[in-house]
């Protein structure tokens, strides 16, 4: 499809505010003086040792980000590195990563080096998202300075960066980017005093008041519906609660209970989208190693005094439909777990982290992942990023070689699938999840994909039905790399799990071919795995997965 048509179908979902700021920021650039002297307030001291990232460098010369190690000279914006790698460099997470207390002198040197090598408004480091994350990292680090005084040039540079951020808040992007901007303004407003500090605090809190209510849904989900970004933003909220407790400012205290309630609901949602192996499910942009784990978020919340309910395990299978986020969960007591995506792609005006994965699912049996969506290994705009976002990279159905949602250009979505008639019914030890979507109605055949999951004590039956006309239809089942697959006869397969358990998979209504594929459990990682590609013989396909109960 022509790029202009895709762009038209993308832009029509945007808010007027986004379009306005896109144009405004093209013609209006931040105005900065040579320096801004803003006094530190002195009300934030000794940020606690909360971290989830390992240090990316031990010498300030060799850095490892996203699975790639490189040597840094004086060019923080070298075109030889991917832009996301450079972004991570400019965040300066090293200042608060594991073992930061043992790197005190190195960290001070890195702050000096960043200031010397990055003149105002030059390079990636002065883009608003980088400014936001680095502002928070510097303030946390500065608060732990102890007996060593803060250099005046540090404070002047930080104030200049916050001023640059304030003039280019990401209203054109919104979502998690604007949240990060607001968090940084609040940190700056607490750290700095004077008129500027008061203004930054007020503006940041006002933004957060709006964005938390809009971005976190009633069931606790962040509205971009990525378990990875869910964990990142929950850590952000925990940071805000810590900031409130450390500063004890009236403006912050009045919001503490709301922030704690949001954190608690968000943790409960993340629990549901976590497999028995304690790792997140791969829906939309999600992989390991970028966000804190559920356990790390829970530990942080407990240190803040947030009372978390104990996770309970029943004696029978139990189903939950998480609404309005749109995910279904079936949990068996033997550490079997089904996670199903019956959700919209995300907020209409910002689906940048969405995949064409509607009605996909993941399955763990005996605590081990069996069916897996493919995950992500990069954030470029090339063919591999497009493939990883595609319908074919997920456990769902592809019609006429098209994606269920028109993902394109790395972070864009044109026409998108919408779930219809989503429901969950439970009777005794049987659970049925049902949903359909209209993503293929845009095609000439006007196809609607319907999927149901019928879960019982020792089996899961997945039925797909296509209403409409089509030339070809494929169901994709991707298996964890440690699952061994053997074809027994036509339509019958034996799965051997890593700990030796046997599972049978039967196909009715299609021709199945075992193919090579890849799974991406981290940036820069591509592990070989197997997938079944099933060609529909008619409009109905049945997949039956059976296991032995203990």
């Amino acid at each position: 499809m022509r790029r202009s048509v895709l762009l038209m179908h993308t832009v029509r979902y945007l808010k007027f505010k986004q379009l306005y700021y896109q144009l405004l920021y093209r013609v209006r650039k931040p105005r900065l003086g040579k320096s801004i002297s803003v006094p530190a307030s002195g009300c934030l001291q000794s940020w606690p040792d909360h971290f989830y990232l390992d240090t990316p460098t031990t010498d300030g010369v060799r850095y490892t980000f996203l699975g790639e190690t490189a040597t840094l000279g004086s060019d923080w914006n070298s075109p030889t590195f991917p832009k996301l790698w450079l972004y991570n460099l400019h965040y300066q997470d090293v200042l608060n990563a594991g073992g930061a207390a043992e790197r005190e002198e190195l960290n001070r040197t890195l702050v000096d080096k960043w200031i010397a090598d990055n003149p105002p408004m030059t390079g990636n480091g002065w883009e608003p998202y980088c400014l936001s994350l680095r502002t928070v990292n510097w303030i946390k680090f500065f608060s732990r300075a102890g007996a060593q005084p803060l250099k005046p040039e540090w404070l002047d540079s930080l104030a200049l960066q916050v001023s640059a951020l304030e003039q280019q808040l990401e209203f054109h992007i919104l979502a998690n980017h604007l949240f990060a901007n607001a968090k940084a303004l609040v940190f700056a407003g607490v750290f700095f005093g004077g008129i500027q500090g008061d203004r930054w605090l007020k503006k940041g809190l006002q933004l957060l008041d709006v964005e938390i209510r809009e971005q976190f849904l009633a069931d606790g989900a962040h509205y971009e519906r990525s378990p990875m970004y869910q964990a990142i933003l929950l850590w952000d909220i925990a940071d805000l609660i810590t900031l409130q407790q450390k500063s004890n400012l009236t403006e912050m205290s009045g919001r503490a209970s709301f922030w704690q309630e949001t954190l608690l609901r968000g943790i409960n949602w993340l629990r549901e989208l976590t497999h028995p192996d304690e790792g997140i499910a791969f829906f939309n942009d999600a992989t390991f190693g970028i966000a804190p784990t559920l356990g790390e978020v829970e530990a942080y919340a407990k240190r803040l005094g947030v009372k978390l309910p104990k996770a309970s395990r029943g004696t029978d299978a139990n189903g939950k439909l998480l609404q309005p986020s749109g995910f279904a969960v079936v949990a068996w007591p033997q550490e079997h777990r089904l996670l199903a995506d019956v959700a919209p792609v995300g907020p209409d005006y910002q689906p940048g982290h969405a995949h064409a994965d509607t009605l996909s699912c993941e399955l763990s049996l005996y605590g081990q992942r069996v069916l897996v969506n493919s995950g992500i290994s990069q954030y470029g705009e090339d063919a591999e990023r497009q493939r990883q976002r595609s319908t074919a990279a997920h456990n769902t159905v592809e019609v006429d070689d098209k994606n269920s949602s028109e993902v394109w250009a790395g972070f864009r979505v044109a026409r998108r699938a919408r779930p219809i008639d989503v429901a969950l019914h439970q009777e005794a030890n049987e659970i049925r999840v049902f949903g359909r979507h209209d993503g293929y109605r845009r095609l000439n055949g006007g196809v609607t994909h319907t999927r149901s999951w019928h879960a019982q004590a020792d089996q899961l039956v997945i039925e797909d039905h296509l209403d409409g006309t089509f030339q070809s239809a494929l169901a994709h089942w991707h298996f964890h790399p440690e699952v061994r697959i053997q074809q027994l006869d036509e339509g019958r397969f034996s799965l051997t799990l890593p700990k030796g358990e046997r599972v049978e998979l039967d196909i009715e209504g299609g021709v199945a071919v075992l193919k090579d594929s890849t799974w991406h459990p981290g940036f820069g990682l591509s592990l070989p795995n197997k997938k079944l590609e099933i060609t529909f013989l008619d409009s109905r396909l049945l997949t039956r997965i059976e296991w032995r109960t203990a």
Side-chain angles (χ1 to χ4, degrees):
M1 180 178 290
R2 290 180 302 168
R3 187 180 180 93
S4 60
V5 176
L6 289 171
L7 183 61
M8 177 189 70
H9 284 297
T10 301
V11 170
R12 70 188 181 94
Y13 290 103
L14 299 181
K15 289 186 175 184
F16 173 79
K17 176 188 289 188
Q18 291 172 284
L19 298 173
Y20 171 78
Y21 278 96
Q22 283 276 9
L23 295 173
L24 179 65
Y25 288 158
R26 291 176 188 272
V27 299
R28 192 198 74 183
K29 302 302 180 183
R31 292 185 176 183
L32 300 177
K34 291 185 178 180
S35 65
I36 298 178
S37 294
V38 183
S41 66
C43 67
L44 181 61
Q45 296 181 359
S46 187
W47 186 266
D49 189 19
H50 299 331
F51 65 86
Y52 63 89
L53 293 172
D54 294 328
T55 182
T57 183
T58 58
D59 58 9
V61 177
R62 288 179 60 80
Y63 285 83
T64 300
F65 298 116
L66 311 176
E68 181 178 349
T69 300
T71 299
L72 172 69
S74 60
D75 187 358
W76 294 61
N77 300 287
S78 172
T80 60
F81 300 125
K83 191 174 182 69
L84 186 61
W85 196 94
L86 293 172
Y87 267 30
N88 276 268
L89 179 67
H90 283 280
Y91 298 159
Q92 292 210 297
D93 288 328
V94 59
L95 303 179
N96 299 287
E102 286 74 47
R103 295 190 307 275
E104 182 73 20
E105 288 306 315
L106 173 61
N107 288 342
R108 294 175 70 89
T109 299
L110 293 178
V111 173
D112 287 332
K113 183 172 176 55
W114 190 92
I115 295 172
D117 294 344
N118 293 276
M121 301 312 300
T122 302
N124 296 294
W126 289 87
E127 294 182 24
Y129 192 70
C130 288
L131 286 167
S132 297
L133 271 62
R134 189 174 56 257
T135 291
V136 172
N137 277 323
W138 278 24
I139 290 172
K140 289 180 179 180
F141 173 59
F142 291 174
S143 78
R144 299 195 307 268
Q148 296 197 58
L150 299 178
K151 298 181 181 181
E153 56 266 34
W154 290 1
L155 299 180
D156 290 349
S157 176
L158 178 58
L160 199 68
Q161 293 174 56
V162 178
S163 179
L165 171 62
E166 183 185 18
Q167 295 178 61
Q168 49 183 340
L169 298 173
E170 293 174 278
F171 291 113
H172 57 306
I173 296 178
L174 301 175
N176 74 83
H177 277 241
L178 187 58
F179 191 101
N181 301 163
K183 176 187 175 184
L185 287 179
V186 171
F187 265 73
V190 172
F191 182 78
F192 285 111
I195 297 174
Q196 291 96 329
D198 290 344
R199 186 179 71 249
W200 292 333
L201 179 60
K202 181 179 179 180
K203 182 175 289 188
L205 289 173
Q206 287 175 341
L207 277 173
L208 285 175
D209 289 344
V210 174
E211 294 305 315
I212 290 177
R213 286 181 170 83
E214 180 168 357
Q215 294 192 32
F216 282 88
L217 306 176
D219 61 359
H222 183 253
Y223 70 170
E224 293 187 69
R225 295 168 172 84
S226 155
M228 182 175 78
Y229 280 94
Q230 175 86 10
I232 291 172
L233 268 81
L234 292 180
W235 194 273
D236 286 339
I237 292 175
D239 273 353
L240 290 168
I241 297 170
T242 301
L243 189 67
Q244 175 268 319
Q245 293 180 354
K246 295 292 292 184
S247 65
N248 202 29
L249 294 178
T250 303
E251 301 94 318
M252 307 278 285
S253 299
R255 293 167 167 87
S257 61
F258 172 57
W259 291 347
Q260 290 197 18
E261 291 167 4
T262 303
L263 178 60
L264 178 58
R265 288 198 304 272
I267 288 174
N268 287 336
W269 188 90
L270 188 60
R271 280 181 174 179
E272 299 295 347
L273 270 291
T274 297
H275 281 275
D277 65 6
E278 299 183 354
I280 57 172
F282 288 179
F283 294 114
N284 297 312
D285 276 344
T287 192
F288 302 143
I290 301 298
T293 64
L294 170 64
E296 288 167 333
V297 174
E298 289 182 332
Y300 194 173
K302 289 177 181 177
R303 288 197 295 269
L304 295 172
V306 178
K307 294 183 179 180
L308 303 177
K310 293 183 178 180
S312 60
R313 179 184 297 179
T315 57
D316 297 316
N318 183 56
K320 292 182 181 179
L321 182 58
L322 306 177
Q323 293 286 35
S325 63
F327 290 88
V329 182
V330 178
W332 289 262
Q334 302 89 352
E335 290 197 297
H336 310 327
R337 194 169 188 85
L338 168 71
L339 302 170
D341 181 351
V342 285
V345 297
D348 268 342
Y349 59 81
Q350 185 45 275
H353 293 293
H355 289 200
D357 60 357
T358 309
L359 301 189
S360 70
C361 62
E362 295 196 336
L363 178 67
S364 281
L365 295 174
Y366 305 101
Q368 305 155 79
R369 296 188 189 221
V370 178
L371 295 179
V372 293
N373 287 323
S374 293
I376 54 172
S377 65
Q378 62 181 62
Y379 262 3
E381 293 192 6
D382 59 7
E384 179 59 14
R385 166 70 171 164
Q386 183 71 6
R387 186 192 71 80
Q388 290 175 15
R389 296 180 77 200
S390 71
T391 298
H394 301 82
N395 295 314
T396 187
V397 173
E398 176 188 24
V399 174
D400 288 342
D401 299 318
K402 301 295 183 182
N403 289 321
S404 57
S405 293
E406 291 178 312
V407 293
W408 67 289
F411 296 92
R412 293 181 177 176
V413 184
R415 289 172 290 185
R416 63 281 310 258
R418 296 190 181 278
I420 307 166
D421 299 331
V422 173
L424 183 148
H425 303 288
Q426 179 163 351
E427 295 182 6
N429 208 29
E430 293 193 16
I431 302 161
R432 294 180 184 270
V433 180
F434 178 90
R436 66 178 89 224
H437 76 78
D438 63 359
Y440 296 122
R441 287 184 186 175
R442 70 180 191 274
L443 306 181
N444 291 335
V447 171
T448 298
H449 174 207
T450 300
R451 171 170 279 186
S452 65
W453 295 262
H454 182 196
Q456 296 176 282
D458 55 2
Q459 71 171 359
L460 173 66
V461 179
I462 305 168
E463 182 174 354
D464 291 295
H465 195 275
L466 300 176
D467 294 305
T469 58
F470 54 90
Q471 297 298 313
S472 65
L474 297 174
H476 302 272
W477 294 121
H478 299 259
F479 299 95
H480 188 275
E482 295 182 351
V483 173
R484 290 188 289 116
I485 307 162
Q486 179 183 4
Q487 185 163 6
L488 302 177
D489 55 38
E490 185 176 351
R492 292 186 64 235
F493 297 83
S494 175
L495 313 179
T496 303
L497 306 192
K499 296 180 182 178
E501 296 89 349
R502 294 292 184 90
V503 177
E504 289 194 1
L505 186 149
D506 296 329
I507 302 293
E508 296 179 16
V511 177
V513 178
L514 190 61
K515 292 190 171 184
D516 293 329
S517 188
T518 51
W519 187 57
H520 309 283
F523 273 85
L525 293 178
S526 294
L527 303 184
N529 71 332
K530 295 293 185 180
K531 66 176 285 189
L532 280 178
E533 191 174 275
I534 303 106
T535 301
F536 279 64
L537 295 176
D538 200 346
S539 60
R540 178 178 175 272
L541 179 71
L542 203 69
T543 303
R544 180 179 289 104
I545 302 171
E546 295 182 291
W547 56 88
R548 291 183 179 181
T549 57

